[in-house]
RNA sequence: GGUCGCGUGGCCGAGCGGCUAGGCAAAGCUCUGCAAAAGCUUCUACUCCAGUUCGAAUCUGGACGCGACCUCCA
């Protein structure tokens, strides 16, 4: 039985889909105006796990993750410019060219991380007419007002019937006192009101026609609209980074209720932030590390290049609701640990059971329990770190079987079969880890190994060392076991 | 200033009333031409103070420290 932490209740709840076996999940995707960084990776990997695990449980999941390609304002005082337009000006490109460029680059990075593509990836710019209709519906329900060509959501009015702040746990009355007077807010009736449609300043490039003005949609509206279009009014899971809880998700929720007068998402899932050496990641702190910089080792804070799988594994070792601190030491440890699990998976595929049993009941039970614990860990709010710890225990056993320290026939055939399929299933399909340097067992590699064996027999140790060296150059290592010579990924 | 969350061994990180994960690093052993890999062993922590309890890293109160959000952000 799957339990997930619902931000709405701040508790772990039993996961019960609205229309099993179907599950609808909406996750806030990137605003495509720059390269993806580690925060994007964490969010994408977190919900990739949710997607993969729900499918493993047998659900038919429709996973919608948007691409925000409508520029939102850089900040309130800078009322004329949006992020994408700003970037377009900077790089001398058409705004849509910027959006496409970074969408492609985002896809590329996510592919490297072995993040599955969502079922539907809608773009905000492709849903302008739907957004206009949705805003009109909110206006018709009197939860919004027009002011100088812009449309604002009336938070106070909304709060009278519904409750603004349920998701983020905010008390609207406190916020009214606490909120600062910002420049350019005089069009709003209340500082907490937010734009549904914004009239474009003359220099604003990205603009569309609407009943109210030539302008562009507000930041929050696209998600309410697109989730509604592809998943219906009331759907199962809405996810995103914790920083989006307020105001983004709170406002999405308000819009949806103001428009449809019904529930919105049943479960809200939020992944926590990434810090670098204990500090918040931010452009001004110069610790804003993009994925490409990490993979290439080109950022000045990185002592080495870390592969996509190293990052993925590292993200998975921690629980998604806690902050994740990235450092060289931590990444190096993850690299080694991940290879260990990978090597065990390869050895497992070669293990064979002889069909004869000299059953060791205790050992057999241990393996069975570990295998079962894998599901239990994932069922407990996607606890990938615990699942990985069981995988390590299993890897240890696999190595012992392989080295014949333990006898593979001392577990029964059925347990062996489950071990063989399940370890790989969790490693590859659910956690989404994979071999990166796929090594073909090609003639050249085989020749190297036989050369090594011959040299060993002849005690020509110079040659032996040379073989080791060339293996190392390929990222491999040679292992002399009691029974044979074999290769493995260098740890 | 307001709201929320967190402080775990050399490091990263689970756990959330008793059974004291896991990984990395370090040390020793087995194996070995030397290694590597693998296996075995060792290292025993919960910011501080006060309380609740037979029993607390886990619950309550307080202090200190850190972070997030309140403004664009995954």
């Amino acid at each position: 039985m799957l339990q997930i932490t619902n931000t709405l209740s701040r508790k772990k709840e039993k996961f019960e889909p609205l229309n099993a076996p179907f599950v609808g999940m909406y996750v806030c995707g990137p605003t495509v105006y720059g390269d993806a960084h580690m925060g994007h990776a964490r969010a994408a990997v977190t919900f990739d796990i949710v997607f993969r695990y729900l499918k493993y449980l047998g659900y038919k999941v429709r996973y919608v993750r948007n691409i925000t390609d409508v520029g939102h304002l850089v900040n309130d005082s800078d009322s004329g410019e949006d992020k994408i337009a700003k970037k377009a000006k900077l790089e001398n490109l058409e705004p849509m060219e910027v959006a496409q460029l970074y969408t492609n680059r985002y896809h590329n990075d996510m592919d490297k991380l072995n993040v599955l593509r969502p079922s539907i990836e809608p773009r905000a710019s492709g849903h302008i007419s739907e957004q206009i209709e949705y805003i009109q519906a909110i206006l018709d329900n009197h939860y919004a007002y027009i002011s100088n060509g812009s449309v604002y959501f009336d938070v106070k009015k909304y709060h009278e019937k519904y409750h603004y702040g349920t998701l983020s746990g905010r008390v609207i009355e406190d916020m009214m006192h606490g909120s600062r007077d910002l420049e350019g807010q005089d069009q709003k009736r209340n500082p907490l009101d937010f734009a549904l449609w914004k009239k474009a300043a003359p220099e604003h490039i990205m603009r569309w026609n609407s009943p109210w003005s030539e302008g562009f949609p507000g930041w929050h509206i696209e998600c309410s609209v697109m989730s509604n279009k592809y998943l219906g009014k009331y759907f199962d899971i809405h996810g995103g980074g914790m920083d989006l809880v307020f105001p983004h998700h709170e406002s999405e929720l308000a819009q949806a209720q103001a428009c449809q007068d019904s529930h919105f998402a049943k479960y809200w899932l939020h992944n926590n932030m990434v810090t670098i050496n204990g500090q918040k990641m931010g452009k001004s702190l110069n610790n804003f590390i993009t994925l490409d910089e990490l993979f290439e080792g080109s950022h000045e804070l990185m002592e080495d290049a870390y592969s996509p799988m190293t990052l993925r594994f590292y993200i998975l070792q921690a629980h998604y609701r806690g902050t994740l601190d990235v450092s060289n030491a931590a990444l190096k440890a993850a690299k080694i640990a991940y290879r260990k699990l990978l090597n065990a998976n390869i050895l497992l595929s070669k293990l064979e059971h002889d069909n004869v049993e000299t059953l060791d009941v205790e050992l057999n039970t241990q393996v069975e329990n570990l295998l079962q614990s894998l599901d239990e860990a994932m069922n407990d709010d996607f606890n990938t770190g615990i699942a990985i710890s069981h995988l390590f225990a299993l890897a240890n056993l696999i190595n012992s079987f392989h080295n014949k320290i333990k006898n593979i026939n001392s577990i029964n055939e059925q347990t062996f079969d489950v071990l063989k399929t399940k370890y790989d299933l969790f490693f590859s399909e659910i956690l989404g880890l994979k071999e990166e340097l796929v090594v073909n067992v090609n003639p050249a590699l085989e020749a190297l190994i036989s050369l090594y064996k011959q040299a060993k027999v002849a005690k020509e140790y110079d040659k032996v060392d040379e073989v080791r060296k060339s293996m190392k150059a390929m990222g491999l290592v040679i292992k002399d076991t009691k029974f044979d010579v074999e290769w493995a990924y260098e740890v």
Side-chain angles (χ1 to χ4, degrees):
Chain A
M1 186 190 71
L2 176 63
Q3 301 231 189
I4 60 181
T5 302
N6 191 351
T7 306
L8 209 48
S9 64
R10 269 155 271 268
K11 281 191 208 119
K12 265 187 216 171
E13 295 177 15
K14 188 174 167 193
F15 179 67
E16 287 172 316
L18 267 6
N19 300 102
F22 302 100
V23 172
M25 173 161 85
Y26 188 92
V27 174
C28 292
T31 300
V32 282
Y33 71 107
D35 278 329
H37 56 248
M38 289 200 267
H40 291 107
R42 166 108 110 144
V45 168
T46 297
F47 291 100
D48 186 46
I49 292 295
V50 174
F51 186 34
R52 286 168 180 270
Y53 193 65
L54 289 173
K55 286 202 291 187
Y56 164 74
L57 291 179
Y59 293 116
K60 307 250 179 281
V61 189
R62 182 181 292 163
Y63 175 19
V64 181
R65 187 185 63 202
N66 67 299
I67 293 281
T68 297
D69 61 349
V70 169
H72 297 296
L73 299 181
V74 175
N75 60 51
D76 271 6
S77 56
D78 191 6
S79 59
E81 221 167 11
D82 70 51
K83 290 187 251 184
I84 292 174
K86 191 177 178 187
K87 194 82 177 185
K89 228 179 257 176
L90 223 61
E91 300 188 1
N92 207 351
L93 297 167
E94 189 63 34
M96 275 304 152
E97 221 173 338
V98 171
Q100 189 63 56
L101 172 71
Y102 289 109
T103 300
N104 293 158
R105 291 175 69 86
Y106 178 77
H107 283 153
N108 197 257
D109 283 334
M110 294 308 131
D111 288 347
K112 284 183 192 166
L113 285 167
N114 205 208
V115 168
L116 299 174
R117 298 275 176 108
S119 325
I120 301 175
E121 198 169 41
R123 291 164 167 269
S125 67
H127 298 74
I128 299 295
S129 62
E130 287 91 335
Q131 295 183 65
I132 290 172
E133 282 170 33
Y134 202 95
I135 293 167
Q136 189 58 55
I138 297 175
L139 276 168
D140 292 346
N141 290 345
H142 310 293
Y143 288 114
Y145 55 90
I146 302 164
S147 175
N148 193 27
S150 292
V151 183
Y152 292 98
F153 190 83
D154 192 338
V155 174
K156 205 172 161 192
K157 175 85 188 296
Y158 171 83
H159 190 63
E160 286 167 13
K161 176 165 180 190
Y162 305 94
H163 186 89
Y164 187 76
T166 39
L167 182 68
S168 57
R170 273 157 217 255
V171 180
I172 188 171
E173 289 75 12
D174 290 352
M175 292 173 69
M176 285 184 177
H177 295 297
S179 82
R180 291 168 272 179
D181 279 333
L182 293 168
E183 300 278 327
Q185 295 221 103
D186 40 357
Q187 293 178 0
K188 297 186 195 176
R189 287 182 192 165
N190 191 300
L192 292 179
D193 294 350
F194 52 88
L196 297 177
W197 186 267
K198 191 103 173 140
K199 182 180 176 180
E203 66 273 23
H204 200 96
I205 315 171
M206 298 182 94
R207 55 206 297 154
W208 290 267
N209 231 177
S210 82
W212 316 288
S213 66
E214 213 175 83
F216 53 95
W219 177 36
H220 316 300
I221 199 76
E222 63 180 74
C223 293
S224 301
V225 171
M226 295 192 294
S227 61
N228 179 303
K229 176 162 181 175
Y230 299 110
L231 298 173
K233 286 181 179 174
Y234 190 30
F235 57 94
D236 299 294
I237 299 173
H238 191 126
M242 244 168 210
D243 52 343
L244 296 179
V245 175
F246 191 90
H248 186 54
H249 288 162
E250 192 71 72
S251 302
E252 264 185 61
L253 177 61
Q255 288 164 348
Q257 293 194 321
C259 177
Q260 0 175 295
D261 191 30
S262 74
H263 293 293
F264 185 40
K266 185 173 181 189
Y267 304 98
W268 289 82
L269 263 55
H270 294 279
N271 65 277
N272 215 140
M273 306 288 100
V274 171
T275 57
I276 311 282
N277 298 319
Q279 267 192 312
K280 180 193 167 153
M281 199 165 75
K283 277 177 179 150
S284 55
L285 296 165
N286 194 30
N287 62 359
F288 197 85
I289 304 174
T290 68
L291 293 175
D292 289 341
E293 285 169 336
L294 182 80
F295 299 157
E296 286 160 17
S298 57
H299 193 280
E300 60 177 23
L301 289 174
M302 292 293 109
E303 289 167 8
D304 206 346
Y306 302 100
S307 75
M309 281 305 113
T310 297
L311 208 220
R312 185 174 178 110
F313 178 83
Y314 185 61
I315 289 171
L316 261 22
Q317 260 195 313
H319 189 86
Y320 75 93
R321 306 198 86 251
T323 52
L324 211 222
D325 189 48
V326 170
S327 65
N328 280 290
L331 253 14
K332 277 177 189 160
K335 175 182 174 177
I336 294 168
Y338 153 69
R339 297 273 177 85
K340 204 166 164 179
L341 241 36
L342 173 64
N343 281 329
N345 196 213
I346 294 167
L347 290 181
L348 178 62
S349 67
K350 295 180 193 151
L351 267 187
E352 278 173 29
H353 195 274
D354 293 338
N355 296 344
V356 284
E357 284 174 24
T358 48
L359 192 66
D360 177 337
V361 179
E362 201 182 320
L363 181 65
N364 197 259
T365 310
Q366 190 194 353
V367 175
E368 281 177 341
N369 287 158
L370 281 170
L371 258 8
Q372 206 193 319
S373 307
L374 253 19
D375 297 270
E376 285 163 11
M378 291 301 287
N379 279 336
D380 185 11
D381 201 18
F382 310 103
N383 202 328
T384 50
I386 294 288
I388 285 172
S389 77
H390 297 318
L391 245 22
F392 274 110
L394 254 9
N396 185 269
L397 257 17
I398 290 164
N399 287 327
S400 294
F401 289 137
H402 177 259
N403 292 337
K404 305 203 161 70
I405 290 166
K406 286 193 169 74
N407 181 5
I408 187 68
N409 294 310
S410 63
I411 62 172
N412 67 41
E413 213 189 338
Q414 196 203 334
T415 306
F416 174 74
D417 288 341
V418 179
L419 169 65
K420 212 162 175 172
T421 54
K422 214 164 172 187
Y423 184 99
D424 183 56
L425 181 75
F426 268 75
F427 185 82
S428 310
E429 302 301 320
I430 295 177
L431 297 179
L433 296 165
K434 62 172 187 186
E435 285 185 65
E436 298 191 292
L437 296 153
V438 178
V439 171
N440 300 315
V441 184
N442 55 35
L445 182 62
E446 283 174 0
L448 263 182
I449 291 173
S450 74
L451 186 67
Y452 180 87
K453 285 184 192 169
Q454 284 167 26
K456 274 233 128 158
V457 174
K459 302 199 175 189
E460 293 169 327
Y461 296 119
D462 289 351
K463 272 193 193 168
V464 167
D465 288 342
E466 234 169 87
V467 175
R468 278 185 190 152
K469 222 188 245 176
S470 32
M471 293 285 287
K472 198 177 160 81
M474 295 160 72
L476 304 178
V477 85
I478 239 174
K479 307 199 303 194
D480 291 10
T481 69
K482 268 186 187 166
F483 312 99
D484 202 2
V485 172
E486 53 197 33
W487 66 269
Y489 291 106
E490 189 188 6
V491 165

